[in-house]
Amino acid sequence: MKSEYAQLKEYIEQSGKTVAVTGAGISYLYGMRRLKQSVGMMNYRRVFSVSYVRKNPEKFYAVIKDAFLDATFVKGPSTVHKQLAELERQGKLCGIVTQNMDCLHTVAGSQNVIEFQGSFRDNVCIDCGERCYDYQVWNQGHMPRCEKCGAPLMPTAFCRDSNADTDVSRESMRKAADLIAQADLVLVIGTTGFRSEEYLSRMKAGTKLVQINPSPTQFDQSADLNIRADAAEALDAVLNG
């Protein structure tokens, strides 16, 4: 394993532009609940809709709090989130592409984070359409409200009965693909590759792919280096080894 960590460190040191791709694995391991666990027997597509929030704003907030907010604002970022932020601070990581909506990369200090499924950083008023680009509105202990008209806010990506979520998804995926296209090294951490074909197809020839994941995934055959270990241990070897 030490040789694999040494190879990872060498790859990062030699790379001009390294991008990390992260998934649910780095959040579920540290307290994030699966969405359907929090929704329970309710239809989650019905709950995550403008019509439901208009009638049941506090019930919606309770689901969000259980699924995301407690882990984000109470437990906080994991070691891996903090390590990736430190790599960016040192100039060894130019950005993160993540399927996660929890904002934990941002809370940890990462600056260039592309959340291709949306997140709590991009919110919209369900009545007047005013946008609010601040995840901290969800850190007040109650359902956030629009400063302009007082109606409930929703993460734009959850507005399933409007066009807002589609527009956000397309723009975020375009940014993810553009970032991947610039990379010399891609680190895949804690993801099995959800929607990866939409951005990893933009990898240029010669770009190295490193997977850090204890379990087998679709990247096993395509990765230049597979590290079957906890990401925190591997990244610690890079930062402190």
Side-chain angles (χ1 to χ4, degrees):
M1 192 61 71
K2 288 184 179 180
S3 63
E4 292 177 349
Y5 294 166
Q7 183 67 75
L8 172 62
K9 185 171 185 177
E10 182 179 332
Y11 279 165
I12 291 175
E13 295 293 342
Q14 292 177 349
S15 172
K17 286 192 174 181
T18 299
V19 175
V21 174
T22 68
I26 70 168
S27 291
Y28 290 150
L29 291 176
Y30 296 96
M32 194 68 64
R33 284 167 59 80
R34 295 184 185 276
L35 191 54
K36 290 184 180 180
Q37 285 180 302
S38 297
V39 176
M41 297 302 293
M42 293 185 291
N43 184 316
Y44 76 97
R45 285 195 169 272
R46 177 174 63 85
V47 172
F48 290 92
S49 67
V50 172
S51 56
Y52 183 87
V53 172
R54 184 170 281 115
K55 295 177 182 177
N56 307 280
E58 294 308 322
K59 287 184 179 179
F60 176 81
Y61 176 78
V63 171
I64 290 294
K65 182 177 184 297
D66 186 62
F68 296 101
L69 304 183
D70 285 344
T72 298
F73 296 118
V74 179
K75 190 159 190 177
S78 70
T79 299
V80 177
H81 293 102
K82 295 173 184 177
Q83 288 168 324
L84 291 173
E86 177 61 20
L87 284 172
E88 184 186 49
R89 191 191 69 78
Q90 293 182 11
K92 297 177 181 178
L93 189 71
C94 66
I96 296 171
V97 172
T98 185
Q99 71 188 61
N100 300 337
M101 306 176 75
D102 50 42
C103 293
L104 282 168
H105 285 299
T106 300
V107 176
S110 292
Q111 299 297 310
N112 188 19
V113 183
I114 299 172
E115 297 144 326
F116 64 78
Q117 291 199 100
S119 78
F120 293 91
R121 292 198 295 175
D122 183 359
N123 303 284
V124 63
C125 173
I126 65 172
D127 280 354
C128 73
E130 185 80 1
R131 298 289 279 272
C132 174
Y133 299 95
D134 183 7
Y135 69 92
Q136 288 289 354
V137 297
W138 294 95
N139 191 23
Q140 304 175 67
H142 56 80
M143 186 71 182
R145 298 274 173 169
C146 175
E147 292 186 357
K148 186 175 181 180
C149 73
L153 295 176
M154 280 185 73
T156 308
F158 288 164
C159 297
R160 300 191 182 280
D161 44 1
S162 75
N163 293 323
D165 65 320
T166 302
D167 294 339
V168 168
S169 179
R170 287 174 179 168
E171 177 64 13
S172 298
M173 189 59 76
R174 183 192 64 77
K175 290 180 179 179
D178 287 348
L179 184 61
I180 292 292
Q182 302 171 31
D184 301 315
L185 173 64
V186 176
L187 308 178
V188 177
I189 304 172
T191 178
T192 57
F194 177 69
R195 295 182 67 183
S196 60
E197 68 281 354
E198 297 180 54
Y199 54 86
L200 289 184
S201 60
R202 292 282 304 282
M203 283 174 57
K204 62 188 178 184
T207 297
K208 288 184 170 58
L209 179 68
V210 174
Q211 175 179 222
I212 307 174
N213 201 325
S215 303
T217 75
Q218 64 170 306
F219 300 111
D220 289 3
Q221 301 305 314
S222 58
D224 295 275
L225 176 64
N226 279 299
I227 298 179
R228 294 278 187 247
D230 181 86
E233 181 179 317
L235 295 177
D236 180 69
V238 171
L239 288 166
N240 303 307

